[in-house]
Amino acid sequence: MPELPEVETIRRALAPELAGRTFTGGWGHPSAKFVGAPDAVGTTVRTVGRRGKYLLVDLTADGSDHPTGQLVVHLGMSGVLALAPPTAAPSERRPTDRHVRAWWTLDDGRTLVFNDVRRFGRLAVVPYGEHRSLATLANLGPEPFDPRFTPQVLRDGIAATSRTIKTALLSQRIVAGLGNIYADEALWRAGIDPRRRTGLGIERSVGLHRSIIDVLEEALTQGGTTLRDYRTLDGSTGNNQHRLQVYGRGGSACLRCGATLRTTVIDARTTTWCVGCQR
DNA sequence: CGATTTCCCTGGCCGC
DNA sequence: TGCGGCCAGGGAAATC
């Protein structure tokens, strides 16, 4: 379940490999989520960026420095990107794994492969910066590490919705990049009840703001959290799964106050929190 | 129009 | 061993 730290880890590995490479061929699974993959063929990669959980591969069709298009990739729940080495015969390049949803051959002979067992991922090739077809991306909140994400922005965003604070954080509209794992971790660290529907005072907003940044930063330092499918570009796992303090620990003791962590469902999302110290 | 619900997917796990 | 049932969950479409 790649969230911001996982996607950023992949981006950092992918960017130097793809920059300057031209897509010489491509294929997409017939599902609408992947079928557009070949639209990138013939373009050259300028940079590999990221917004929230979206990878944004800037493309140029005319060889100039100015991107003309963008390959947008969302890894969903189980999406994995890998670079396959060149094979002797071009006809043997096509990946044969059962769950490959898209692939692109590169002008250096390698193949970029998008594997996604559960097909919750998606991709699109769009004119540069044209995100109207991707509603969540088009309405994405600020990057958590961007100075424009402030305690006040967080506070205002929470105050503007009647949804629970957990659901508000997952909406991607207040701040980009949080998924179920890091939302639970940040709320625990800030001592805030995920079911809360009322606004936060400025002091608690400062605390949650800090917690969100810290949780994501630490996970990034660890190369992300691998629970099931997540792998970085070279196939290795992250290390942050050993540092989770609430996610997946329902029924165990809270590491802060010792109370038993409770797991419930909030808006169809499994949520673990501490009834003892999250208010 | 914002909020809520439904749907998309399949490997892994559980119980019988 | 085999198998039905259930769970995980981000985002978009459908519905309220």
Side-chain angles (χ1 to χ4, degrees), chain A residues 148-172:
Chain A
R148 282 170 287 189
F149 175 56
T150 64
Q152 191 61 48
V153 163
L154 176 62
R155 188 183 184 207
D156 292 345
I158 293 165
T161 178
S162 60
R163 315 171 88 180
T164 65
I165 195 163
K166 167 75 181 274
T167 303
L169 292 180
L170 292 181
S171 76
Q172 310 300 309

Side-chain angles (χ1 to χ4, degrees), chain A residues 56-236:
Chain A
L56 304 175
V57 183
D58 290 357
L59 307 171
T60 177
D62 56 14
S64 77
D65 283 339
H66 301 290
T68 53
Q70 226 168 25
L71 167 61
V72 181
V73 178
H74 194 293
L75 298 172
M77 289 288 298
S78 56
V80 175
L81 285 170
L83 275 171
T87 55
S91 61
E92 292 169 12
R93 278 181 182 170
R94 293 177 52 173
T96 52
D97 187 289
R98 203 150 58 100
H99 301 302
V100 169
R101 306 308 178 194
W103 53 258
W104 300 266
T105 50
L106 306 176
D107 60 351
D108 64 2
R110 294 186 294 176
T111 304
L112 177 63
V113 183
F114 184 19
N115 211 296
D116 184 12
V117 171
R118 288 155 80 176
R119 286 197 239 169
F120 272 45
R122 63 185 58 237
L123 61 83
V125 178
V126 299
Y128 182 69
E130 175 53 71
H131 298 154
R132 274 180 295 187
S133 62
L134 299 139
T136 303
L137 179 57
N139 296 300
L140 210 56
E143 286 293 310
F145 303 147
D146 190 302
R148 282 170 287 189
F149 175 56
T150 64
Q152 191 61 48
V153 163
L154 176 62
R155 188 183 184 207
D156 292 345
I158 293 165
T161 178
S162 60
R163 315 171 88 180
T164 65
I165 195 163
K166 167 75 181 274
T167 303
L169 292 180
L170 292 181
S171 76
Q172 310 300 309
R173 297 182 66 134
I174 300 174
V175 59
L178 286 172
N180 208 33
I181 296 172
Y182 300 122
D184 277 10
E185 294 294 317
L187 286 167
W188 177 83
R189 202 174 284 214
I192 294 169
D193 188 331
R195 302 166 300 175
R196 186 185 178 98
R197 289 181 192 272
T198 50
L200 294 176
I202 190 64
E203 199 172 316
R204 306 199 76 198
S205 294
V206 169
L208 181 57
H209 175 262
R210 186 76 259 151
S211 297
I212 289 169
I213 292 171
D214 288 349
V215 159
L216 294 175
E217 227 161 42
E218 290 167 23
L220 185 53
T221 301
Q222 296 298 315
T225 300
T226 298
L227 294 177
R228 296 175 186 85
D229 303 295
Y230 165 68
R231 296 291 185 280
T232 187
L233 195 62
D234 65 3
S236 57

Side-chain angles (χ1 to χ4, degrees), chain A residues 244-260:
Chain A
L244 299 178
Q245 295 172 293
V246 276
Y247 184 89
R249 295 195 64 245
S252 303
C254 172
L255 295 169
R256 183 166 48 211
C257 77
T260 302

